[in-house]
Amino acid sequence: MSDVFKLSIVVPCYNEEDVLHETTKELTAIVKGLIDEKKISETSKIVFVDDGSKDKTWQLIDEFSKNHNVVTGVKLSRNFGHQGALLAGVTSASQDSDAVITIDADLQDDVNAIPKMVDEYLNGAEVVYGVRNNRDTDTAFKRSTAEMFYKFMGFLGVKLVPDSADYRLMSQRACQVLLSYRERNLFLRGIVPLVGFKSAKVYYARKERFAGESKYPLRKMIKFAIDGVTSFSIVPIKLIMGLGFFIVFFSFVLLIYSFIRKINGDVIPGWSSLMISIWALGGVQLISISVIGEYVGKIFSEVKQRPRFTIERDIYTEKTQEENKR
């Protein structure tokens, strides 16, 4: 493998005007440092993906792209969500890049891990995961729920890299395989391990958000977790079937028990037990229907085959074409 290769760093952005100056400064320093060390090509780029921001994010990206040769941008026509923005950036950058790194704009993921990822790539790894070495910056609630989520996904048979989000390096070949997965319900943390190829891990300490507000409040985190479960496993449906058989068996046992009590003349009318049973079974039925409905909804989204993202402007491609003409 050549020691000098073209690297693109994809950064999804949604209302990130407060942090974009610092993000550009830190990433630009990393890229230029790697260029000076002759590890990556001078044509390497930082690709900011504006995911339908409502603030000045795109204006800043456009400005930075004019002032910095390594900075480019992709503007989506509307908000497609974090996963869609990531995929749009990878789609654009992987066409002529030897490797692509994805990282969030909030600077919580340590940019100093990028050179280590590059070294692992040069050593032959085609997928390099950025993995948190601790969760000290998280609340106790978030730490415990994250641990439960990874354990539950493991129980369902979904292969995830614990404590690894969307901070990773992928070779061009790995990116092309990733893009061949056509599902609309994107959960890249689950899809990337399916790509295969030689992988490695780089550990780093996660920081506090530099500025602005988190784009993943509790509500979105719950939705993200549900998408992860229902996009990769049908075990919940099988569990519902098992629960149904258990309830039927338990009801049959209670029926026999009631007959025995009736024969012995030891029957006490129980309004409370009747109502509790009705409410309990009603709750189980509603939960079961909602789980099945989640799967049906995903089928509904998939069969429509709508675009996963729409690019309004692609500065990355514009700059690449200009460079090729020189």
Side-chain angles (χ1 to χ4, degrees):
M1 182 181 293
S2 173
D3 289 340
V4 178
F5 66 96
K6 182 174 181 179
L7 173 70
S8 289
I9 301 177
V10 173
V11 189
C13 305
Y14 179 67
N15 296 339
E16 298 287 4
E17 63 176 358
D18 294 334
V19 73
L20 213 52
H21 282 89
E22 186 65 23
T23 303
T24 302
K25 175 184 174 182
E26 293 196 15
L27 288 177
T28 300
I30 292 292
V31 171
K32 289 183 175 178
L34 290 169
I35 291 175
D36 291 340
E37 294 176 13
K38 300 189 182 303
K39 289 186 175 180
I40 64 175
S41 166
E42 293 181 354
T43 60
S44 297
K45 294 289 186 287
I46 301 168
V47 188
F48 290 107
V49 183
D50 178 28
D51 187 24
S53 298
K54 299 177 182 178
D55 59 4
K56 297 180 180 179
T57 295
W58 178 249
Q59 290 92 318
L60 290 174
I61 294 172
D62 194 19
E63 176 187 334
F64 296 154
S65 69
K66 294 174 182 176
N67 298 330
H68 301 279
N69 185 51
V70 298
V71 177
T72 65
V74 173
K75 179 176 173 58
L76 302 186
S77 61
R78 62 174 176 83
N79 179 253
F80 285 87
H82 180 265
Q83 302 289 279
L86 273 177
L87 202 66
V90 171
T91 300
S92 181
S94 64
Q95 296 179 25
D96 67 337
S97 298
D98 297 299
V100 175
I101 289 178
T102 57
I103 183 174
D104 289 342
D106 55 17
L107 294 178
Q108 286 188 283
D109 295 324
D110 188 4
V111 298
N112 293 308
I114 291 177
K116 299 177 184 177
M117 291 182 173
V118 169
D119 289 340
E120 291 291 349
Y121 172 75
L122 293 174
N123 288 331
E126 296 203 51
V127 180
V128 184
Y129 298 98
V131 182
R132 298 173 60 173
N133 57 16
N134 63 68
R135 284 187 169 269
D136 294 343
T137 58
D138 290 345
T139 62
F141 173 76
K142 191 171 183 178
R143 283 197 299 270
S144 59
T145 52
E147 184 177 351
M148 289 171 56
F149 172 71
Y150 285 115
K151 287 183 178 179
F152 183 62
M153 293 296 281
F155 168 74
L156 297 180
V158 182
K159 295 183 178 180
L160 296 180
V161 179
D163 297 323
S164 175
D166 291 303
Y167 187 21
R168 63 178 75 88
L169 178 149
M170 300 183 70
S171 68
Q172 185 184 54
R173 181 168 68 157
C175 287
Q176 294 306 316
V177 174
L178 172 66
L179 296 176
S180 70
Y181 288 78
R182 307 308 303 173
E183 55 252 54
R184 270 63 185 165
N185 301 290
L186 294 171
F187 185 67
L188 296 180
R189 298 182 196 184
I191 297 176
V192 172
L194 298 178
V195 169
F197 302 126
K198 182 180 178 181
S199 65
K201 297 177 183 177
V202 168
Y203 293 89
Y204 67 96
R206 191 168 171 85
K207 304 176 181 178
E208 296 286 349
R209 184 181 176 86
F210 178 79
E213 297 179 353
S214 171
K215 304 305 183 295
Y216 267 90
L218 180 61
R219 176 180 59 83
K220 281 193 174 181
M221 290 299 293
I222 293 174
K223 181 180 182 301
F224 189 66
I226 292 174
D227 284 342
V229 172
T230 54
S231 295
F232 280 86
S233 177
I234 61 170
V235 171
I237 291 182
K238 293 182 178 180
L239 291 177
I240 289 174
M241 181 184 296
L243 179 62
F245 280 120
F246 173 76
I247 291 175
V248 170
F249 174 75
F250 186 70
S251 300
F252 182 72
V253 172
L254 285 179
L255 179 63
I256 295 176
Y257 175 75
S258 299
F259 273 123
I260 294 174
R261 296 292 296 271
K262 178 70 173 178
I263 294 172
N264 295 333
D266 187 20
V267 177
I268 301 176
W271 182 87
S272 297
S273 60
L274 177 63
M275 293 304 297
I276 290 173
S277 299
I278 292 174
W279 281 101
L281 288 175
V284 169
Q285 290 173 341
L286 287 175
I287 293 173
S288 302
I289 292 172
S290 66
V291 171
I292 296 172
E294 184 72 23
Y295 282 95
V296 173
K298 282 191 168 14
I299 295 172
F300 177 70
S301 298
E302 293 290 340
V303 298
K304 287 187 292 186
Q305 294 290 299
R306 289 180 179 175
R308 294 180 288 185
F309 54 85
T310 304
I311 295 177
E312 182 176 325
R313 187 184 173 192
D314 189 345
I315 299 177
Y316 176 86
T317 301
E318 293 172 8
K319 275 195 172 184
T320 301
Q321 291 175 346
E322 290 178 4
E323 291 172 353
N324 292 337
K325 290 178 182 178
R326 294 173 186 172

